[in-house]
Amino acid sequence: MASSSSYNSPCAACKLLRRKCMPGCIFAPYFPPEEPQKFVNVHKIFGASNVTKLLNELLPHQREDAVNSLAYEAEARVRDPVYGCVGAITFLQRQVQRLQKELDAANADLIRYACNDIPTGLPQVTGASTVQPPLTPRNRLAEFNRRVGNEGGGFYQLPGALPYSFPWNDASSGDMNDGGGEG
């Protein structure tokens, strides 16, 4: 009876470790022979025995997500040995924060330009017994929303009015790349 490895190439892990890939190999489903660099990075950062222990402790349906996470972290560590994926996450968080500021500024400009087109007071109808109040900034925004058909004013949210907070808005946190630190 021929073994499965005689007609199939061994998985990337067994090939790198120079061992026979058995039918029940824990690495085979997650490290195919077509992606050898995936296991090379994981092995370099975490070690094959640690990955084996981790995969054996997990339920089978959790293993693929764990391997994908390990592979992502390992690749990030190879590219940036100091910060790894934390550096990538921090970069993306800063980019989101910068873009949010740009969006807030653009929305503020839009409101400012739109409100400049609205007259400062409502015209008085002669013979009318009701006196209409002058437009305050809040009334001007309501008038603008009425004119553009946006009664809820949902296109613009005030910066502090979000239903959630961003963890990177903490003013006490320093810049990871500013070179400041202990020294």
Side-chain angles (χ1 to χ4, degrees), residues 27 30-31 37-56 58 62-78 85:
F27 295 122
Y30 314 109
F31 298 104
Q37 194 61 41
K38 182 177 178 182
F39 184 75
V40 168
N41 291 342
V42 170
H43 177 56
K44 183 187 289 185
I45 301 299
F46 299 106
S49 63
N50 289 332
V51 175
T52 302
K53 288 176 193 174
L54 176 75
L55 292 177
N56 284 326
L58 293 174
Q62 298 172 323
R63 291 177 182 166
E64 184 174 2
D65 289 336
V67 167
N68 290 337
S69 295
L70 289 172
Y72 181 81
E73 174 66 22
E75 185 179 335
R77 283 277 170 199
V78 166
C85 67

Side-chain angles (χ1 to χ4, degrees), residues 63-176:
R63 291 177 182 166
E64 184 174 2
D65 289 336
V67 167
N68 290 337
S69 295
L70 289 172
Y72 181 81
E73 174 66 22
E75 185 179 335
R77 283 277 170 199
V78 166
R79 278 192 266 139
D80 183 0
V82 176
Y83 294 112
C85 67
V86 174
I89 291 168
T90 303
F91 171 78
L92 292 173
Q93 287 174 337
R94 286 188 189 134
Q95 189 175 12
V96 166
Q97 188 177 21
R98 181 181 53 80
L99 292 172
Q100 184 63 47
K101 286 179 183 178
E102 286 180 22
L103 180 63
D104 290 343
N107 280 332
D109 288 344
L110 177 65
I111 287 177
R112 187 172 44 253
Y113 295 138
C115 287
N116 284 338
D117 292 340
I118 299 174
T120 57
L122 294 176
Q124 298 292 326
V125 177
T126 55
S129 61
T130 61
V131 176
Q132 303 212 347
L135 287 176
T136 63
R138 182 177 294 267
N139 292 342
R140 289 171 63 95
L141 180 59
E143 175 67 14
F144 169 74
N145 286 334
R146 184 188 66 74
R147 286 187 180 188
V148 296
N150 188 14
E151 288 298 325
F155 79 95
Y156 176 73
Q157 294 238 346
L158 295 175
L162 295 175
Y164 51 87
S165 64
F166 297 110
W168 57 86
N169 283 346
D170 182 15
S172 65
S173 65
D175 186 2
M176 289 177 61

